[in-house]
Amino acid sequence: MTSPGPKPRRGDEPRPGPPARHGSSDRKTRVTVLVALGANLMIAVAKAVGGLFAGSPALLSEAAHSVADSVNEIFLLAALRRSRRPADRRHPFGYGKERFFWSLLAAVGIFVMGGCFSFFQGFEALQGGAKESHEGYVAGLVVLAVALVSEGVSLVRALHQVHRQGGTAAQGLRDPALRTVVAEDSTAVLGVVLAMVGMALHMVTGNVVWEASASLAIGALLVYVAYRLGRDAREQLIGQAADPELSDRIRQLLEVQPEIDSVEELLTMQLGLDSILVAARVDVVPGLDSEEVEEISLRIRHSLMHAVPEADQIFLDITDASIHAAGRRTNGDTTSPAATGERGGA
């Protein structure tokens, strides 16, 4: 007769995967990223060849921009794959924050490979390092025109998914991978326009300052976009709270429970695109025994998870309202139950 295996610890048991709608969104986002990657790879080669042939700093800056975008899209593909790994003993809350980490690397890539190289090209042109010949500039402008169309198609695809996924820009851009693609494509379209204007003015006036200025403007644009994307990823990596409207909804769901006297504290944290940690300290009505408290905790958790599917990690710290009030009168403060030994969670 074999002895039963060790009892699984909390956090080791398998958890249900994300809802199907999020899997579908991931597939659509992956297609959007692949479309952007294919467009950027072809455009990067065309811009690099045209920039070297024409000796155009603006066109070379745009080539560096496209290379940076291509590398970043590889990062985003890694984010989409790795963030969906199931929770395990080492990472009991799952791998959802991988999405934010790779988005941070993409922001660094935009800054280093795109912004810094564009600044370098602009300053070198101002110092007289760029050739003054306009040979090949017509071909360069044709390359940029084709790039403008390609980047525009990629941007339209990304914006279409934003609309389909969230209904509004604010909701659809919750996905950091999709947000990065939209930011890259929007910047790419504006960067191509700046490069075309700079090259055209250089041809008309014979003054390389116009093209150098275009390179510097592209660099400044990329640095700004990298800063915004990096700031958003940083906030999510260090533990950003859930959307205020969602937090208010969770609080209201707790407050309407007949057994809950009051919600003393509610903390939320975004664990991934569709995963939220909820920790609540609540006072229940007097007179409930331990078995009733446990049943109530399970029911409330299931009710919250059904009403808010994203809230897949819920911890309730339950105290008796009368005992809690007596403790306040005695101690003259609101010491946390975790410090006084009153903790009772589910």
Side-chain angles (χ1 to χ4, degrees):
M1 181 177 178
T2 59
S3 59
K7 184 179 179 180
R9 300 187 305 173
R10 172 172 283 189
D12 291 345
E13 66 271 10
R15 295 187 178 89
R21 62 187 178 91
H22 293 111
S24 175
S25 295
D26 269 6
R27 287 191 293 271
K28 293 176 181 177
T29 301
R30 187 176 293 108
V31 171
T32 299
V33 174
L34 287 172
V35 168
L37 176 61
N40 278 318
L41 285 174
M42 292 186 293
I43 293 168
V45 173
K47 287 177 180 177
V49 172
L52 292 172
F53 178 67
S56 167
L59 194 50
L60 288 174
S61 296
E62 273 301 298
H65 182 183
S66 295
V67 170
D69 286 351
S70 300
V71 174
N72 294 337
E73 273 131 22
I74 294 174
F75 288 161
L76 298 181
L77 290 174
L80 292 172
R81 181 177 62 85
R82 296 178 64 86
S83 65
R84 286 299 176 186
R85 290 183 294 172
D88 53 33
R89 180 175 298 180
R90 189 170 182 180
H91 296 87
F93 294 110
Y95 291 81
K97 288 196 175 186
E98 286 256 20
R99 222 173 182 105
F100 311 138
F101 169 74
W102 290 98
S103 297
L104 179 62
L105 289 187
V108 174
I110 292 174
F111 176 81
V112 175
M113 291 184 289
C116 292
F117 186 80
S118 296
F119 279 128
F120 169 77
Q121 286 293 319
F123 286 127
E124 187 179 48
L126 289 175
Q127 293 172 359
K131 296 187 296 183
E132 292 294 330
S133 173
H134 296 157
E135 182 182 358
Y137 264 47
V138 174
L141 288 171
V142 171
V143 169
L144 287 175
V146 173
L148 182 62
V149 174
S150 300
E151 298 286 8
V153 170
S154 180
L155 177 60
V156 169
R157 159 77 195 190
L159 291 176
H160 176 69
Q161 187 184 340
V162 169
H163 178 73
R164 292 288 300 274
Q165 184 168 310
T168 65
Q171 295 172 326
L173 290 180
R174 289 190 314 113
D175 186 344
L178 184 57
R179 182 169 61 243
T180 302
V181 172
V182 171
E184 286 181 347
D185 288 346
S186 302
T187 308
V189 169
L190 185 54
V192 168
V193 171
L194 289 172
M196 293 178 72
V197 171
M199 290 179 66
L201 290 174
H202 185 188
M203 291 179 64
V204 171
T205 65
N207 192 344
V208 74
V209 170
W210 291 107
E211 198 168 350
S213 299
S215 292
L216 294 175
I218 292 170
L221 178 64
L222 292 175
V223 169
Y224 173 73
V225 170
Y227 164 74
R228 290 294 301 269
L229 291 175
R231 185 189 64 179
D232 292 343
R234 170 185 171 275
E235 290 180 354
Q236 292 166 322
L237 280 173
I238 64 178
Q240 187 177 36
D243 182 78
E245 292 184 3
L246 187 59
S247 296
D248 291 341
R249 183 184 175 197
I250 293 172
R251 179 179 287 275
Q252 291 171 4
L253 288 170
L254 289 172
E255 289 175 341
V256 298
Q257 302 298 322
E259 299 86 358
I260 293 181
D261 186 71
S262 64
V263 179
E264 296 296 319
E265 188 174 19
L266 176 64
L267 303 175
T268 62
M269 183 171 67
Q270 196 80 36
L271 298 176
L273 179 61
D274 53 357
S275 178
I276 296 173
L277 182 148
V278 177
R281 181 159 59 87
V282 300
D283 282 345
V284 295
V285 296
L288 300 176
D289 59 33
S290 59
E291 290 186 1
E292 289 175 321
V293 168
E294 184 176 356
E295 292 176 0
I296 291 168
S297 299
L298 291 175
R299 180 179 59 77
I300 292 175
R301 288 183 62 213
H302 292 155
S303 176
L304 280 177
M305 294 176 70
H306 177 74
V308 186
E310 298 93 333
D312 57 350
Q313 301 288 346
I314 301 173
F315 299 89
L316 300 179
D317 191 355
I318 296 180
T319 58
D320 190 303
S322 60
I323 297 175
H324 195 190
R328 287 192 221 172
R329 289 194 298 270
T330 302
N331 300 328
D333 58 24
T334 55
T335 305
S336 169
T340 61
E342 297 174 358
R343 182 176 180 82

